[in-house]
Amino acid sequence: MSRILKAVIVLAAIVAVATPAMAAEFAFHGDLNNRFNLYTNHSEFYNTAGSLEKGVASTKKVGDKNTNTTWGDVKYRLWTEAKTNDGKVKGVYAIELGAMRFGRSGTGKSLGSGYSGDGLNIETRWAYTQFQVPGAASKARVTIGLQPYKVNSFLWAETAAGVKFTADNYELAWMRGRELFNNTNGGSLESGDSLSARVNLKPAAGVKLGLFGLFQNQNAGGAGAIDAGKYEVKSLGDIDMTLYSFGVDGGLTSGDIFVKWDAIYQNGEFKDATFTGLNGTATGDFDLSAYLLHVDVGIKMGKSRLTFTSWYASGDDDDNDKDLDAFMSTDVDRFDSIVLFEGGYTDDNYGTERPYLLNKGLFLNKLAYDHKASKKLKFGAAVLYLMTAEDIEYTDDNSVAQSNSDLGIELDAYVSYKLYDNVELALNGGYLVAGDAMDAFEIDRNGNADEDIMRITSRVRYKF
């Protein structure tokens, strides 16, 4: 047993024994997720997290023949909560055993459980303190530390470290995603600092409306790199940048009909940088102007639900200029596609976590059907049509210039059954009939997509 896990157990025991003296309540929770990749015909596409996010030099991922494989892993999250009896103060600490693969051994992060036990797999997931503002309403609270943080599901929705203030209908936050320790006479907020504000409104019955803004600033003091394959704020590294994001989100419910929406506009500047794309490079100062539009429209029909989802993330049509037109997320997880995104239950192995590919954006259309057959059983299916917002341009292996946006048609399905109230057995699968734009990600590029991608995953999940 690792020293970290021993320390957590000892701490939990001390808190449990000391609870009466501290006039506090103590709780212990868990999410024990056992996952299996039952089958994929392209294991090289799923041999890592974010196979399409490793930079343009690593875009060739899909082989020219089937490479079938099966694996299992566990992803466990355990957390403790200690709060005062009046609920005004709460402390949370969480650990995660991340994607321990059966049979994989060695040292490093998230390696596995081979002979003689696991490698180094434990990480801190959350560590924060939350308290009610003295003299304020009960919902006016401050949260300090490593905490769940969400600006918008397409923009930034992950764990982050900082300080957040929330009240009845608004939120203010300062988060620091990267520290650049200042040894010069520069300003104090020049690391990867972010300031966000949100207001949540209910202008009418059944209507929710959110207004938000995110300001991100970083001054690394030197030249930086922007890689089309790493087109995300958290992957930019030490680069000078200023980025503004403004948006609205919300939803409407009227009887059995529901609508959800997101609209985000971005404007920013990246200084003294080098951009590398599939079809060119550029150096200097870059201006960003981009946007994302999303809508869900659905209807409930008894125990069934039909949902149409569409979003458009703007892309960049020229890798050689200094205008960045592609929408840029900070840190998100998207599960809308089982094949390309994190929709498979072994979601530490995926193509991309972002709502776009490279710097070319995405135009996604999805029709999904869900049915709840009983309290224990539910199932569903979906069809997706995927294309990039701008053509993926590259030179194939025959030195022929190619340009295409068609990623293909994907067919997904799932079934979930509750063995017990808190134990789920689930199975899902996806099949991508590849469009010719997927040729850009094939090991043998000839201008035509030659390989469809199939993936079947399952899980047994215990939550308490």
Side-chain angles (χ1 to χ4, degrees), residues 296 307-311 334-344 352 354-355 357 362-369 380-388 405-414 428-435 438 453:
D296 288 341
T307 308
F308 174 71
T309 297
S310 182
W311 82 66
R334 298 303 311 182
F335 304 93
D336 310 79
S337 163
I338 292 175
V339 175
L340 293 182
F341 297 163
E342 297 180 81
T352 180
R354 311 162 192 166
L357 267 67
L362 190 74
F363 184 30
L364 177 145
N365 291 282
K366 177 179 180 179
L367 184 63
Y369 172 79
V383 58
L384 297 80
Y385 178 57
L386 301 155
M387 61 187 300
T388 52
S405 63
D406 182 16
L407 297 170
I409 296 174
E410 181 176 335
L411 305 175
D412 293 343
Y414 76 92
N428 75 1
Y431 188 95
L432 176 68
V433 182
M438 287 299 296
I453 304 176

Side-chain angles (χ1 to χ4, degrees), residues 341-352:
F341 297 163
E342 297 180 81
Y345 294 135
T346 52
D347 56 14
D348 282 72
N349 299 80
Y350 54 87
T352 180

Side-chain angles (χ1 to χ4, degrees), residues 212 255 278 291 352 356 361:
F212 60 88
L278 277 181
Y291 64 94
T352 180
Y356 49 82

Side-chain angles (χ1 to χ4, degrees), residues 32 180 195 268 273 286 364 386 406 418 431 451:
L32 311 185
L180 300 170
L195 302 174
F286 294 80
L364 177 145
L386 301 155
D406 182 16
K418 287 292 187 70
Y431 188 95
E451 295 293 325

Side-chain angles (χ1 to χ4, degrees), residues 128-347:
Y128 64 89
T129 300
Q130 183 184 91
F131 58 88
Q132 181 180 332
V133 178
S138 61
K139 292 185 179 181
R141 293 178 175 271
V142 174
T143 307
I144 305 172
L146 187 64
Q147 58 189 281
Y149 176 62
K150 180 178 179 180
V151 180
N152 177 273
S153 65
F154 289 93
L155 182 60
W156 192 353
E158 250 292 357
T159 295
V163 182
K164 180 173 63 180
F165 172 77
T166 56
D168 285 337
N169 62 343
Y170 64 93
E171 174 184 296
L172 302 171
W174 164 63
M175 296 290 158
R176 172 165 286 181
R178 177 178 288 106
E179 182 185 57
L180 300 170
F181 195 79
N182 186 19
N183 290 313
T184 67
N185 293 322
S188 60
L189 292 178
E190 294 190 341
S191 293
D193 290 301
S194 304
L195 302 174
S196 66
R198 164 177 280 275
V199 177
N200 297 313
L201 305 173
K202 294 183 178 179
V207 179
K208 294 181 179 179
L209 180 65
L211 308 174
F212 60 88
L214 173 66
F215 167 70
Q216 296 171 275
N217 181 72
Q218 182 171 290
N219 187 359
I226 306 173
D227 190 306
K230 301 178 181 180
Y231 197 78
E232 189 175 28
V233 172
K234 76 172 185 179
S235 300
L236 289 177
D238 297 343
I239 189 172
D240 291 357
M241 73 166 201
T242 302
L243 182 61
Y244 300 88
S245 301
F246 303 98
V248 296
D249 55 22
L252 177 151
T253 302
S254 179
D256 293 328
I257 298 175
F258 61 90
V259 181
K260 297 179 181 179
W261 60 78
D262 301 90
I264 306 171
Y265 172 73
Q266 292 183 316
N267 186 273
E269 183 180 15
F270 301 84
K271 297 181 179 179
D272 192 19
T274 298
F275 174 83
T276 303
L278 277 181
N279 193 43
T281 61
T283 302
D285 295 343
F286 294 80
D287 293 320
L288 182 145
S289 180
Y291 64 94
L292 181 143
L293 301 173
H294 160 258
V295 65
D296 288 341
V297 180
I299 183 171
K300 297 178 181 179
M301 304 171 291
K303 295 183 178 181
S304 300
R305 182 179 62 188
L306 190 66
T307 308
F308 174 71
T309 297
S310 182
W311 82 66
Y312 184 93
S314 65
D316 202 333
D317 64 350
D318 189 347
D319 290 345
N320 298 282
D321 66 16
K322 296 179 182 179
D323 294 321
L324 302 180
D325 303 314
F327 180 81
M328 181 181 290
S329 298
T330 295
D331 191 3
V332 297
D333 297 283
R334 298 303 311 182
F335 304 93
D336 310 79
S337 163
I338 292 175
V339 175
L340 293 182
F341 297 163
E342 297 180 81
Y345 294 135
T346 52
D347 56 14

